[in-house]
Amino acid sequence: MIGDFIGTAGHNPVAPGRALELHESEVGMQAIIDPYARADVFLSFGEEGVNVEEGYITFTSLPAGLLMKVGKMRAEFGKVNTIHNHALPFIDRPLVTNNLIGGEDGIDDAGISLTRFLPAPKNWFAEGTAQVFRGDSSDVFSSSRRQDLSVVGHLRAYREPQRIHEH
């Protein structure tokens, strides 16, 4: 269990807030279901009530090296969207999060996520993720029909630095 309590001083006409606020408390429950799957559930408690922040099952041993998540989860969109409030290195989420993806929760919706390591040249690591969401995580990504879905694609690459050998 973890949480964050925020105290604010001064005057901010753009984003007025309370002087003292229990922003969020969170309970995380994670368990291995069997050798092929694990479950993750995060419940958040705030001044507006209780919310299932994330709740999904991860299937770790699918064919073709795929990793699949099914349930309610945060989208692999940028660096900040996947991070829970208490783990952020700052109090407020960036303005682009609030303005572009519709608020503090960002893209956090029921869906399916497929991830796979991709072949890459020497000293490179590459991973591709494709996600399909129900489409009701905020006003920006809100769907009015069943066939209106939100789709997110994410490509991550990292290069292992060369080691210099001194003699």
Side-chain angles (χ1 to χ4, degrees), residues 19-120:
L20 300 171
E21 174 186 12
L22 175 61
H23 187 230
E24 181 181 85
S25 296
E26 182 177 293
V27 174
M29 296 168 279
Q30 300 168 298
I32 303 295
I33 297 172
D34 61 31
Y36 310 108
R38 65 173 283 136
D40 295 88
V41 176
F42 300 95
L43 302 175
S44 62
F45 302 87
E47 294 188 3
E48 286 104 35
V50 180
N51 179 38
V52 176
E53 192 162 336
E54 290 190 277
Y56 55 86
I57 295 177
T58 303
F59 298 95
T60 57
S61 299
L62 295 176
L66 292 170
L67 179 94
M68 183 170 71
K69 290 182 184 179
V70 178
K72 184 179 183 205
M73 68 198 93
R74 293 179 168 275
E76 291 284 336
F77 184 83
K79 287 186 166 235
V80 178
N81 192 71
T82 59
I83 302 173
H84 291 222
N85 287 333
H86 61 82
L88 288 170
F90 31 77
I91 297 293
D92 299 321
R93 288 191 179 266
L95 289 176
V96 71
T97 300
N98 292 328
N99 296 333
L100 178 63
I101 57 177
E104 186 175 89
D105 289 334
I107 304 172
D108 180 13
D109 201 357
I112 299 171
S113 174
L114 281 173
T115 301
R116 184 172 191 269
F117 291 114
L118 303 171

Side-chain angles (χ1 to χ4, degrees), residues 2-18:
I2 194 164
D4 58 341
F5 184 84
I6 300 173
T8 308
H11 178 68
N12 185 345
V14 176
R18 298 179 175 145

